[in-house]
Every structure is written in structure tokens, then in C-alpha cells.
Amino acid sequence: MSSTIFPVLKRDLLLAYRNSTDIVISLFFFIVVVALIPISLNETESTLPRLAPGLVWIAALLSSILSLHRLFAEDHADGSLDLLLSSSSVYQCVLAKIAAHWLVTGLPLTLISPVIGLAYNLHGEQLSTLFISLLVGTPVLSCIGAIGAAMTIGLRSGSSLIALIVLPLNIPVMVYGSAAVRASINSPDNVMTYLLLLTAMLIIALVFAPLATAAALKISND
Amino acid sequence: MSFNWFKYSSPASFYGISHSIIKAASIIAVILCLLGLYWGFAKTPNILTDQKEYYRILFVHVPVAWMSMWLYITLVFWAVIGLIFNTRLSYMMAAATAPTGALFAFLTIWTGAFWGKTSWGVWWDWDPRMTSMLILLFIYIGYIALQNSITDTRRADRASALLALVGVICIPVIYLSINCPDPYQCAALHQQSSLKKIESNILIAMFIMLFATWAYSFAVITHRLRSIILEREKRTQWAQDISKDMT
């Protein structure tokens, strides 16, 4: 099993490294969105923490969707998708591609989130909850997003169509993710509930999303 | 006795009986709608005192809400049948169902806003049921958008069928997540289901209207299906003959 995952993962990460503007773009998109909102709302220091959970999570969701259309597009264009699909372990290949997408978009954003949290006047426990919720939640966004990306390969309206398809399906992740951070501000006892629910979603998504993505890839690449 | 289950799964033989289905379903829909509205306006008690007649929007709101959910289930049913047996007509059924389902989801939100304004004083509130209906509308729109963006019919059918299937798994999760993000604060404007407590005449009117919307969906979806069949089978001789007769 690992013999398929790692070569694909390595290849995708290498491609991302050689093309590192892509990583930087989606990370800065996240930062710019998160920074724009306090400017436009003109909030005071005391109200900012209340806004932080929802805003950071919306920005993470948008940033994850922004980079989705590249997930399979290049492989489709240069024909390597055919190779990937003809292998006996499509599931592992897809899982590796999803992992690579998360390492390139979700992880940087998660790593920088404590700094964003500081700017939103969060502290201590709240920062760590924000970090953990993104760490567990953003892989789910990549998983669900991959299904949408696989369905829309090679379509003219691809990138906006992905958003239309994937955003409603991502609502639970966003709800529980932001609820965890909100709970860390209001009722710290409940934080664990949400983090566990997010983890449950991650497990379910890791099992089923590669299946659905592989099916969608086969349909799109017929 | 042998019965050919797949006889009407061929577009040509289905097209033959579709006209009588539309006719029967439309007549039933009109009769039931008139009966249900009459029952709803004349036979039901004025349960809320001080002339709060606005509750009668229920006779549209509830049937339409139920149908929008039921149509999504039938859509997924046909999508799955299509994926399993690879029958063209099943995909066409699913594609024909989506616009009516989306329309009903929209009507639910619209009539709900009237109820909300008169009863709760707001047009819209982020109550769990309202939000999940809105998300159902989004999922319908996503399905229709995906179906229409792919020019290759076969790929469009199968990709949107898969999307519908993924959606049906997500809907309960979405509903639960917005219903109870905080286990300690489950506030909602909608009450728990009160079917058992409702006065029987109101219930009768509601169910007559439910069957009216059901018959309406049957007629409209079959009608849309006929157009889809003719469009997709335009290369076949029988479809060309029909098109010639029409013009």
C-alpha cells in the first residue's frame, strides 16, 4: 500500500515545490482575507475575538477551494491521470494526491493560524484550539474538495463550479470547527466535544472521499 | 407468469405511455388542489384566536417542504439505479426531477418567510430547519449546474448522479450540525413535530394538498422527461417521426 502512496505524494510535493508560487498564493489569500475583515468592519479589540472563529474558518474554506481546480487539472492535461487510473491502487493514488493538497494548502494555513489568532486578540487556550481545529478540519476540506475537483476536470466553468458544489457539503466542518473555537472562548468544557466530532468527520472523510473521488475521476476521464 | 421489468426503461416505450401519465396526474393534481384548498379554508377551525388566519399558509408550506425532500430522495434513487444498471432513462428521470425539487425548496423558504413575518416578526432567522432547507436548495442548484456544465451527456449524467449520492450522505450530517452545534443550546423557532396534536381537519387538508403537490410533480416531471427524451434521442427514427408530427 505504502509503495503507491509515497511515490505519488513525493511527486506531487516536488511539483508543488518547483512551482512554489501556488503555495504562497493560497496562503496569502488566506492572510489577506483574514486581514481585510477587521479593516472593513472597524471592530474594536473587545469584539474581535467573537468574530475570529467564524472568519478564520471561512477564510480557510475559501483558500482551500481556491486551489482545488489544480488538483487534477495538470495530470489530466499531460495524460498522467490515465496512468494513475490504470494502476491497480487508484484509492491510494487519490489518497496521496489529497494528502499532497493538504500539505501544500491546509498545513501552511494551520501553522500560521496562531499568529492570526493573536491579531484577533485571542490568547492561550483559544490559540491552541484554533490551531488544533484547523489541523483536524482542513484535511476534511481537502477530502470533500477532491470529489468536486474530480467531477469538474476539464470544464470551462471549472473553478467556480467547484465552489458551488463543494461549499454546501463543507458546512458541517465549518460549523464544528468554528464552534470549537467559540467554545474555547465561552465554555472551555465543551471544546473537546467539537474536536472529537471533527476527528470523526476526518476519519469518515478519509475512508469515503478517496472512493468517491476515484469514481468521479473514472467518470470524468472516460 | 413472467413480467418484463425493463419494458418501460426504454425511452421509446416510456414515451408511448407518458402522455396518459401526464394527463391523469394533471387532472388529479387540479382536483386535489381545489379540494385541499377548499378544505383548508372552509372546513378547518380557526385554531388561533384573534383572527390569526395566517396559519393557513401551512397547507402550502408543509406539503411543499415534504415534497422537496422526497423529490431529492427519488432523484438519488434514480441516480443510483442509473449508476448500477446503466439505464439511460433513469438518468433522464433524475435530471427531470431536479428543477421541480429546487422549485419546491425555494417555495418552502418563500412561504416560510410569510409565516415567519406574521408569527415571529422576522422574514428569516437562522433556525436549523430553515438553514437546512436553504442548503438543500444549494445542493439542488449544484446538481443542476454540474449537469448543465458538462456537454458530454453520458459524463454529465454519471457525474451528477455521483454528486447526488454524495449529497444524500451529507444531508443528515449537515442537518445535525446546524441543529445542534452546541449540545447545551439547542434553540429553534420550529417546534418538534406536532403531527399527533393537530386537529384532524387541518391534517386532512394538509394531506390532500400533499397528494396534490405529489400529482403535480408527477405531471411536470414526466412532461420535462418527455422533452429530455426527445432531445437526447433525436437521432432515432421514432423521435424524428414524433418531432415531425409536432411541427
Side-chain angles (χ1 to χ4, degrees):
Chain A
M1 178 172 158
S2 55
S3 60
T4 329
I5 290 189
F6 288 112
V8 178
L9 188 63
K10 205 175 145 197
R11 169 180 166 274
D12 270 32
L13 288 179
L14 193 65
L15 280 173
Y17 175 71
R18 296 270 156 83
N19 236 332
S20 51
T21 34
D22 287 355
I23 308 177
V24 177
I25 285 174
S26 65
L27 181 62
F28 270 89
F29 177 81
F30 173 74
I31 295 171
V32 168
V33 169
V34 172
L36 271 182
I37 294 164
I39 299 171
S40 65
L41 290 181
N42 196 19
E43 293 288 330
T44 56
E45 276 190 3
S46 54
T47 48
L48 268 181
R50 227 160 29 87
L51 297 172
L55 294 181
V56 173
W57 262 94
I58 289 176
L61 182 59
L62 293 178
S63 149
S64 158
I65 283 176
L66 186 73
S67 53
L68 274 176
H69 67 277
R70 282 196 311 269
L71 188 53
F72 297 110
E74 281 160 24
D75 289 354
H76 178 68
D78 66 12
S80 52
L81 192 64
D82 293 324
L83 269 179
L84 194 145
L85 284 175
S86 61
S87 83
S88 57
S89 44
V90 183
Y91 185 93
Q92 283 91 325
C93 293
V94 171
L95 196 60
K97 288 201 73 76
I98 293 174
H101 178 261
W102 177 71
L103 286 173
V104 170
T105 61
L107 187 61
L109 173 164
T110 308
L111 290 176
I112 205 157
S113 68
V115 182
I116 305 279
L118 280 177
Y120 274 80
N121 216 8
L122 299 178
H123 36 74
E125 198 95 320
Q126 300 157 2
L127 287 176
S128 59
T129 311
L130 180 67
F131 178 79
I132 296 171
S133 76
L134 284 170
L135 187 69
V136 182
T138 45
V140 188
L141 301 181
S142 295
C143 283
I144 298 177
I147 306 175
M151 278 170 185
T152 52
I153 292 175
L155 299 183
R156 263 184 300 118
S157 50
S159 48
S160 50
L161 188 61
I162 293 180
L164 190 61
I165 292 172
V166 168
L167 279 175
L169 301 180
N170 273 333
I171 287 169
V173 189
M174 210 185 64
V175 169
Y176 288 131
S178 51
V181 185
R182 208 174 304 120
S184 74
I185 300 171
N186 300 325
S187 48
D189 295 345
N190 299 338
V191 171
M192 209 53 200
T193 321
Y194 297 118
L195 293 182
L196 287 176
L197 278 167
L198 270 181
T199 317
M201 278 185 200
L202 175 61
I203 294 169
I204 295 173
L206 278 178
V207 175
F208 290 107
L211 279 179
T213 310
L217 281 176
K218 276 176 190 156
I219 291 169
S220 302
N221 207 42
D222 232 5
Chain B
M1 193 180 105
S2 74
F3 180 79
N4 184 1
W5 287 98
F6 291 98
K7 177 163 188 235
Y8 290 110
S9 69
S10 131
S13 56
F14 180 82
Y15 195 92
I17 59 162
S18 63
H19 189 65
S20 38
I21 292 179
I22 294 174
K23 218 170 174 181
S26 324
I27 293 169
I28 294 171
V30 171
I31 292 172
L32 283 182
C33 184
L34 291 175
L35 184 66
L37 287 180
Y38 165 72
W39 207 286
F41 277 101
K43 294 275 188 180
T44 49
N46 194 2
I47 43 162
L48 301 166
T49 46
D50 56 347
Q51 276 104 43
K52 284 184 180 165
E53 299 286 352
Y54 65 80
Y55 88 88
R56 294 183 203 280
I57 194 108
L58 275 190
F59 302 125
V60 182
H61 181 65
V62 174
V64 167
W66 281 347
M67 277 317 285
S68 69
M69 290 182 268
W70 177 242
L71 285 179
Y72 192 76
I73 295 171
T74 56
L75 189 159
V76 174
F77 172 80
W78 287 118
V80 170
I81 293 282
L83 285 174
I84 295 173
F85 295 107
N86 219 353
T87 40
R88 280 171 299 156
L89 192 63
S90 319
Y91 289 129
M92 297 184 205
M93 284 284 238
T97 308
T100 307
L103 174 72
F104 279 168
F106 174 71
L107 278 179
T108 309
I109 292 167
W110 194 7
T111 54
F114 287 148
W115 170 279
K117 189 60 192 168
T118 42
S119 176
W120 304 325
V122 284
W123 292 108
W124 179 265
D125 185 86
W126 293 97
D127 160 281
R129 281 203 207 174
M130 295 184 205
T131 316
S132 57
M133 190 47 80
L134 187 67
I135 294 164
L136 182 66
L137 178 63
F138 290 159
I139 290 180
Y140 269 124
I141 291 172
Y143 175 91
I144 297 170
L146 182 65
Q147 176 99 38
N148 290 331
S149 323
I150 306 178
T151 38
D152 172 15
T153 324
R154 193 175 137 77
R155 182 183 158 192
D157 281 343
R158 294 170 68 208
S160 51
L162 189 67
L163 179 65
L165 191 60
V166 174
V168 86
I169 298 163
C170 287
I171 282 176
V173 184
I174 293 170
Y175 181 74
L176 288 175
S177 75
I178 53 184
N179 198 6
C180 239
D182 190 335
Y184 299 95
Q185 307 173 356
C186 280
L189 290 176
H190 276 89
Q191 298 150 3
Q192 293 294 311
S193 174
S194 50
L195 267 186
K196 292 198 185 90
K197 285 179 274 173
I198 291 178
E199 214 265 336
S200 59
N201 274 313
I202 297 178
L203 213 55
I204 291 172
M206 218 146 83
F207 273 99
I208 296 175
M209 285 305 287
L210 175 66
F211 287 114
T213 43
W214 182 80
Y216 163 83
S217 324
F218 221 87
V220 173
I221 290 169
T222 315
H223 192 80
R224 196 175 293 121
L225 186 58
R226 271 164 69 95
S227 317
I228 296 177
I229 290 177
L230 277 191
E231 204 179 317
R232 293 201 185 172
E233 305 282 308
K234 61 185 170 218
R235 286 192 195 79
T236 61
Q237 189 58 48
W238 67 270
Q240 281 169 9
D241 290 344
I242 290 169
S243 313
K244 223 172 281 164
D245 288 347
M246 281 202 271
T247 48

